[in-house]
Amino acid sequence: MLTNWIYVFLPRISCALAWVVNPIFIYLIFTESSNKFGNYRFLLLYFALFNLTYSVVNIVVPIDIITYRYCFIVILRDGWFVELSDFNFSLLSARCSLVGTTFALILVHFIYRYLAIQNSSLTRNNFHWYMTGSIFASVFHFSVWHLTCLYFTRAEFEMRQYVTPGIRRTFGNETIDFNILGGVFHEVPNSVVKRTWIAILTCTSISVLTIIKFIVLSRMIINKLNNMSITASKKTARFQFELFRALIVQTTIPIVISFAPCLFCWYIPMFGIELPRAFNYYEVSAFGIFPFVDPIAIILCLPIFRTRIFRFLSSISSGFFEKPSNASRTK
């Protein structure tokens, strides 16, 4: 029952919530005054569309994660593409690569926020070039992860032979029944270990370097905002601080929910430690929930959105409680 909940019901519930929350998020953005958000609206729209795409992929390409001795593996759990094939393995690789793509989306938000405070022409008259560069950055991050997974983490004969006991113990199946992506640190030929390290270091490096860019840009933005609080109006400075705070929340959620479990899963097997099955359940569940959690966090962080949502909920509740009293007066 728990397995069905984790791999069948929870992804569908998460997807449904994402398709409720993100359209509301888009509506709030584009019904606000254009003077407040400017072209930033389209960057937020891009983020929301990515969330919707991710939530659907989470159902169509369901994954499972296990560790066995010095190995970690990701498999296609079930569904339309579970059969062993090159195309299905490519889908598995693409599914994992979406985790890395989130860093590119967040990075372009940080860069935009800094340029907007600088009043750069890229955020005004030449925004089409900035949006093109943002899409290119997303494609670049996705491609690096995807190609790394395709060429360095595919389970060939040696890895499949090594993880056979773990697959049998966990699923009661043979390795031939699964598309497998993973890495092994010991007890296999050096060529397999070398490919594992190339994959792990590549994905870790590009992600950690992006996080460092977040930190550097955050510091630069804070300095600019402090100067703005002196030169600009209090209302403008306060709104810019609110947008920056929302961006920090938007950044923290995928790092904690998606990237941190990835690092844990990659490096713990290096010491021969097998993660408990409960942690695998957490990893798989966490990967699917940030597409609807992130927009909610942004809405709650921005007072202009939060006020509108609370006002709407208040009007619904007041209307609900007024109807019975009116009916009783009529009687």
Side-chain angles (χ1 to χ4, degrees), residues 231-299:
T231 58
S233 67
K234 290 183 178 179
K235 185 177 180 180
T236 300
R238 183 173 65 251
F239 184 63
Q240 290 295 334
F241 271 107
E242 290 168 354
L243 288 174
F244 179 63
R245 184 172 63 246
L247 179 56
I248 294 299
V249 173
Q250 179 185 355
T251 304
T252 303
I253 290 174
I255 290 177
V256 173
I257 288 180
S258 296
F259 185 58
C262 281
L263 286 178
F264 207 66
C265 179
W266 290 344
Y267 288 100
I268 283 295
M270 185 193 311
F271 306 101
I273 300 173
E274 294 186 24
L275 295 172
R277 192 71 177 128
F279 186 82
N280 301 146
Y281 290 152
Y282 163 76
E283 289 178 293
V284 173
S285 303
F287 286 147
I289 65 174
F290 86 82
F292 76 86
V293 172
D294 232 6
I296 291 175
I298 296 172
I299 290 171

Side-chain angles (χ1 to χ4, degrees), residues 1-17:
M1 184 59 188
L2 178 61
T3 301
N4 288 336
W5 174 255
I6 296 295
Y7 296 101
V8 178
F9 300 118
L10 188 58
R12 285 161 174 76
I13 293 171
S14 299
C15 181
L17 290 172

